[in-house]
Amino acid sequence: MVQTSLSLSLSLSLFLSVCSSIIMVRTVAVIGAGPSGLTSIKSCLDEGLEPTCFESSEDIGGLWRFKEHLDPGRANIYQSVIINSSKEMMSYSDFPPPAHLPNNMHHSQLLIYLRLYAETFDLFKHIVFQTTVVSVRQRPDFPVSGQWEVETERTEGQRESQVFDAVMVCTGHFTQPHLPLKDFPGIEEFEGRYLHSWEYRSAEGLQGKRVVVVGIGNSGGDIAVDASRVAEQVYLSTRKGAWVVSRVGAGGLPGDLVGTSRLDKLLQKLFPSWITWMMEKNLNQSFDHRLYGLQPKHGFFAQIPVVNDDLPGRIISGRVLIKPNIGEIRGSSVAFEDGSVVDKVDVVVFATGYNYDFPFLPSGLLANSSHRLSLYRNVFPPGLARPSLAVVGFVCNLGAINPLAEMQARWATRVFKGLLTLPSEEAMLQDIKRDTSTLQNRFACLERHPLQVDHIPYLDSMAEELGVRPNLLGLLLREPGVGLRVLLGPCTPYQYRLRGPGQWDGARQAILTQWERVAQPFRTRMAAQPESKTRASCSLRLTLTLSGAVLLLTLYTRHSLSSLLSHPTGLLYKLYSPSETMWGWK
Ligand SMILES: Cc1cc2nc3c(=O)[nH]c(=O)nc-3n(C[C@H](O)[C@H](O)[C@H](O)COP(=O)(O)OP(=O)(O)OC[C@H]3O[C@@H](n4cnc5c(N)ncnc54)[C@H](O)[C@@H]3O)c2cc1C
Ligand SMILES: *[C@@H]1O[C@H](CO)[C@@H](O)[C@H](O)[C@H]1NC(C)=O
Ligand SMILES: *[C@@H]1O[C@H](CO)[C@@H](O)[C@H](O)[C@H]1NC(C)=O
Ligand SMILES: *[C@@H]1O[C@H](CO)[C@@H](O)[C@H](O)[C@H]1NC(C)=O
C-alpha cells in the first residue's frame, strides 16, 4: 500500500517534470501598448512566440500620448513634457532614432518614434485596442501547464476569457497619484484649489495666481517652471532638496551622453567619494546649490537628480522661490516649517509621486519586500510554480527606461521558452533581499523610490545571462573603433545587439554613427568658421580608431593633470564626441 502510493507519487512527479520540460510556450498576452508593451510584442515575435497585446485605450504610446482630457487609471502628462534622457540613450537597441529628431524630444516626437518602431516591426496587427484586462488567473493545472486565464472587457462592455501560455504585464507605474493629504494639516479647509501633478496639463488658468508646488522631483521642477511664466509668484516647497542637472551638458552636448560611459562607471565604483565630490563641484560651478536653497543632504548619486534646464533661471529672476516643507495650511495661507507664511495662495500642486497598482492580478502575487515589489530582477514573481508571468518596465533609474524594458522583455521571453532557467524560489528570494539591501545602502530614501536600479549593472546582469553583453576585450582587439566607443563612449543600447541571440547587423553602424545623429538636429544654420582655424581634414573615424595608448597620451599631453583631476570624465567624452569637423555640414 505504502509502496504503491510511493511509486504513484514518484511517477507523478516524474510525469510532472517530463511535462515541464516539454511544455511549449507559444501564446503570450501582453498587457498595455506603451513603450514597454511595444518592445515586449517585438521580443515575443523575435523568439517565435505569438503575442496578443491588450490595450485599454484606442492607440499606442501609453504615457507619451498626450490626452486632452484626464484619463483615470492611466498616466497623464502635461503639455510641456520634454524627455529628460536624450534620444540615443532612450532608443530601442535595434532601432536608432531618426537623425533629424532633436536630442531631447518633445513628448509628441517621442510618440512619433514609437509609431515608427511599431510600424517598422509590424506590431499593430498584434494589438487589440479598447480592451482592458480585468483579471489574470492561474489555470487549475497551472503547475503543469503554466497557463493563465486572461479576462478582458471591451469598451462597450463585452467580457471575454482567453487562455495564454504566458503573460507580460506592461501597464506602467505613473497611474495612481500619491496624495499624502494627512501630511498637510488644514488642506481639507484650504480656500484655494489643490491638485496632483497627474492632473496638471498646462499653465492655463494660472495667470496672475499665487502657486505653491510641493515636491521637487522631475514633475515638480517642470511644473514650477511652467507655472512661473504666467503666475504672479511660484513657491517650490521641498523637504530634502535635490541636485539639479541640465539636459544641456558640457559643450552643449546632451548631458546624459557625457560622463556616463562604462569607464566613468568603473571610476565611480573605484573612487566613489572622489567622483561624487567632482560631480557636486561641477554642479556647484554652474550654480551653487546652497546659495539657491537646493542643496540636499544626500550625495549626488544617492538619488535620481532633477533634470531641469530652466529652474536656475527662474530662481535667479525670482519667479520661483524655494521654500522648505509645508507645516500647515490655514485658510488661504500656507505656513512653512521655518515659520514663514505665504498668504493668498490660489493653487497648491502636489508633485508627490505615484503609487502602483495591479488590480487585475491575484492579490499577493507581487508581495512587498520592504517597500519594493518582490520581483526577481524586477521581472519575475519568485513564488510561481512555472515562470510564465513577467512584469516589464517596472523600474526607474538615472537614465532612460525604454532600453531597460526592452532588455527585460528579451530576457523574459527566453525564460518563457525554457532557454534560460530561473534559480529556485529560495535563491530568488535571497537575491531580492540582497538587491534591496544593496540599493538601501546606495540610495537615500528607497521607500519613496522603490523601483530604482543601477543602469549599466542592471542591463549587464541580464545581458550576461542572455549572452548579449558586449565582449569588451574581444571588441578592443578585433574592432578597436567599436570597442573604444563601447568603453569610453555613452552606453547606448546598441551595445547589446553586437552578439548573441537577437544580434543585429546594424548595431556596429549604429554605434559608429551615434554622434552623427546627435549633431544632425543642430544643423539648422551654417555657423561661421573662425578664420584662423583651418578645418581639420582627418576623418572622425580615423581619429577614433587610434589605439587606447595614443588616446591616453593625447589626453595627458593636451590637458594638465589638475584639470584631469577635477574633470576626468569630461575629458574622456571629448575623445568620443564628434570632432570639430562634425559640426559642419555633410
Ligand atoms: C512626466 C513624466 C516624464 C517622464 N519622462 C521620461 C523620460 O524622459 N525618459 C524616460 O525614460 N522615462 C520617462 N518617464 C517614465 C515613463 O513612465 C516611461 O518612459 C515609459 O512611458 C513607461 O512605459 P510603460 O509602457 O511601462 O507604461 P505606460 O507608458 O504608462 O503605458 C502603459 C499602457 O498600458 C495600458 N494599460 C494599463 N492598464 C491596462 C489594462 N488593465 N488593460 C489594458 N491596457 C492597460 C495603458 O493604457 C497604457 O497605454 C516619464 C514619466 C513621467 C510621468
Ligand atoms: C558646493 O557649494 C557649497 C556651498 O558653497 C559647499 O558647501 C559645498 O561643499 C560645495 N560642494 C562641492 C563638492 O564643492
Ligand atoms: C506595497 O507597499 C506599499 C506601501 O508600503 C503599498 O502602498 C502598496 O500597495 C503595496 N503593494 C502591494 C502589491 O502589496
Ligand atoms: C525622467 O523623469 C521620470 C519621471 O519623473 C523619472 O522617472 C526618470 O527617472 C527621469 N530620468 C532621469 C534621467 O532623471
Side-chain angles (χ1 to χ4, degrees):
M1 185 64 203
V2 175
Q3 228 169 13
T4 42
S5 78
L6 195 76
S7 69
L8 215 122
S9 75
L10 256 176
S11 56
L12 186 69
S13 67
L14 198 74
F15 171 74
L16 281 180
S17 70
V18 168
C19 279
S20 67
S21 56
I22 55 166
I23 292 282
M24 285 275 290
V25 170
R26 194 169 50 85
T27 55
V28 182
V30 176
I31 312 177
S36 305
L38 293 176
T39 196
S40 295
I41 304 173
K42 163 84 167 41
S43 297
C44 286
L45 295 173
D46 285 352
E47 289 297 337
L49 301 170
E50 290 170 24
T52 305
C53 174
F54 299 107
E55 166 55 53
S56 56
S57 74
E58 67 286 357
D59 202 354
I60 64 159
L63 181 127
W64 298 102
R65 199 161 47 78
F66 180 78
K67 298 153 207 92
E68 286 303 328
H69 303 287
L70 282 179
D71 218 351
R74 291 215 186 92
N76 276 293
I77 47 174
Y78 32 93
Q79 184 61 64
S80 64
V81 170
I82 287 181
I83 60 172
N84 54 12
S85 26
S86 71
K87 65 176 180 180
E88 292 296 320
M89 291 304 280
M90 201 170 172
S91 69
Y92 297 113
S93 59
D94 54 0
F95 197 65
H100 72 273
L101 284 177
N103 286 286
N104 286 88
M105 295 180 258
H106 184 243
H107 60 76
S108 55
Q109 289 166 311
L110 189 75
L111 187 60
I112 293 176
Y113 171 76
L114 294 174
R115 274 196 211 294
L116 280 174
Y117 180 73
E119 277 158 16
T120 305
F121 297 111
D122 212 2
L123 307 182
F124 280 104
K125 66 175 186 221
H126 304 282
I127 307 174
V128 189
F129 289 107
Q130 301 195 307
T131 305
T132 304
V133 170
V134 289
S135 131
V136 173
R137 293 289 177 271
Q138 297 171 16
R139 298 260 296 163
D141 63 349
F142 183 83
V144 180
S145 71
Q147 286 179 326
W148 299 86
E149 184 136 351
V150 174
E151 194 179 358
T152 55
E153 186 176 270
R154 303 269 310 156
T155 312
E156 315 88 71
Q158 306 112 277
R159 288 203 169 206
E160 203 188 320
S161 243
Q162 269 172 276
V163 173
F164 288 92
D165 298 331
V167 173
M168 298 175 94
V169 178
C170 315
T171 49
H173 54 89
F174 290 98
T175 50
Q176 310 288 330
H178 173 67
L179 197 51
L181 291 183
K182 64 175 182 358
D183 296 347
F184 301 92
I187 186 72
E188 304 290 1
E189 288 83 46
F190 177 51
E191 288 168 11
R193 188 166 81 91
Y194 70 85
L195 63 149
H196 188 271
S197 59
W198 175 84
E199 296 170 64
Y200 181 87
R201 325 317 312 288
S202 72
E204 182 77 41
L206 295 179
Q207 282 81 354
K209 296 273 160 56
R210 291 159 77 79
V211 181
V212 174
V213 179
V214 180
I216 188 171
N218 277 291
S219 303
D222 277 354
I223 292 170
V225 166
D226 214 32
S228 75
R229 308 219 184 262
V230 299
E232 179 194 310
Q233 185 66 61
V234 172
Y235 303 87
L236 178 53
S237 157
T238 166
R239 192 166 22 145
K240 292 216 166 69
W243 293 104
V244 178
V245 300
S246 175
R247 289 178 180 80
V248 186
L253 297 174
D256 61 351
L257 298 186
V258 178
T260 53
S261 68
R262 287 174 179 277
L263 186 67
D264 289 304
K265 293 295 156 193
L266 186 70
L267 284 176
Q268 189 194 326
K269 206 168 162 191
L270 293 177
F271 313 104
S273 43
W274 175 49
I275 298 288
T276 303
W277 172 80
M278 234 168 38
M279 267 316 287
E280 296 176 3
K281 191 162 164 286
N282 286 339
L283 287 177
N284 262 355
Q285 248 158 31
S286 61
F287 69 94
D288 185 330
H289 278 58
R290 200 159 63 176
L291 180 64
Y292 275 51
L294 289 170
Q295 178 129 341
K297 273 211 199 83
H298 56 79
F300 178 78
F301 292 101
Q303 195 166 308
I304 293 175
V306 172
V307 182
N308 199 308
D309 307 81
D310 302 327
L311 190 58
R314 306 314 286 166
I315 296 174
I316 203 169
S317 60
R319 308 307 302 146
V320 172
L321 301 177
I322 305 294
K323 301 296 280 179
N325 203 26
I326 292 183
E328 65 169 326
I329 291 159
R330 297 187 289 260
S332 66
S333 302
V334 174
F336 296 94
E337 277 179 349
D338 61 355
S340 62
V341 177
V342 171
D343 293 321
K344 298 203 198 103
V345 172
D346 299 292
V347 180
V348 177
V349 183
F350 289 98
T352 39
Y354 291 86
N355 294 322
Y356 40 82
D357 193 15
F358 300 93
F360 47 86
L361 289 182
S363 63
L365 179 62
L366 313 176
N368 266 338
S369 146
S370 61
H371 300 290
R372 294 179 77 223
L373 276 186
S374 182
L375 288 174
Y376 179 62
R377 298 269 167 90
N378 293 52
V379 177
F380 281 101
L384 288 176
R386 299 184 60 88
S388 56
L389 181 134
V391 178
V392 174
F394 217 69
V395 280
C396 71
N397 70 338
L398 210 177
I401 293 172
N402 297 357
L404 271 67
E406 182 188 36
M407 183 65 79
Q408 293 176 329
R410 290 173 73 186
W411 183 65
T413 46
R414 303 279 289 179
V415 171
F416 288 164
K417 286 182 69 179
L419 297 169
L420 296 173
T421 44
L422 298 183
S424 67
E425 178 177 355
E426 194 152 327
M428 287 195 267
L429 287 170
Q430 281 298 325
D431 191 272
I432 295 168
K433 239 182 165 165
R434 211 171 29 240
D435 246 20
T436 305
S437 70
T438 311
L439 293 170
Q440 254 155 2
N441 291 334
R442 164 95 164 65
F443 292 113
C445 71
L446 191 66
E447 60 285 357
R448 283 303 303 130
H449 309 274
L451 311 175
Q452 287 188 101
V453 294
D454 245 338
H455 191 77
I456 300 179
Y458 183 71
L459 284 173
D460 272 356
S461 72
M462 268 183 284
E464 180 75 42
E465 280 183 33
L466 270 171
V468 303
R469 184 176 170 168
N471 172 2
L472 257 176
L473 197 63
L475 270 177
L476 284 169
L477 292 175
R478 274 181 287 111
E479 291 171 278
V482 177
L484 285 169
R485 279 178 163 88
V486 170
L487 177 66
L488 304 178
C491 189
T492 43
Y494 327 117
Q495 298 189 0
Y496 298 106
R497 290 282 179 184
L498 288 167
R499 67 191 193 100
Q503 178 191 352
W504 173 52
D505 289 341
R508 274 178 181 69
Q509 196 55 23
I511 292 173
L512 291 171
T513 52
Q514 60 199 12
W515 286 110
E516 180 56 36
R517 286 189 300 279
V518 171
Q520 182 62 30
F522 291 111
R523 295 190 182 121
T524 48
R525 170 181 171 261
M526 168 81 110
Q529 283 272 335
E531 267 169 22
S532 58
K533 272 195 189 165
T534 51
R535 245 181 183 195
S537 60
C538 72
S539 77
L540 173 70
R541 179 171 304 203
L542 198 74
T543 323
L544 290 176
T545 42
L546 288 176
S547 75
V550 174
L551 288 171
L552 279 176
L553 203 73
T554 350
L555 200 142
Y556 276 95
T557 49
R558 274 219 259 147
H559 307 277
S560 70
L561 192 66
S562 71
S563 82
L564 175 74
L565 277 173
S566 74
H567 202 167
T569 52
L571 290 182
L572 284 169
Y573 95 85
K574 281 209 169 125
L575 299 167
Y576 282 85
S577 65
S579 67
E580 261 174 59
T581 51
M582 246 182 100
W583 297 131
W585 299 76
K586 277 253 131 173

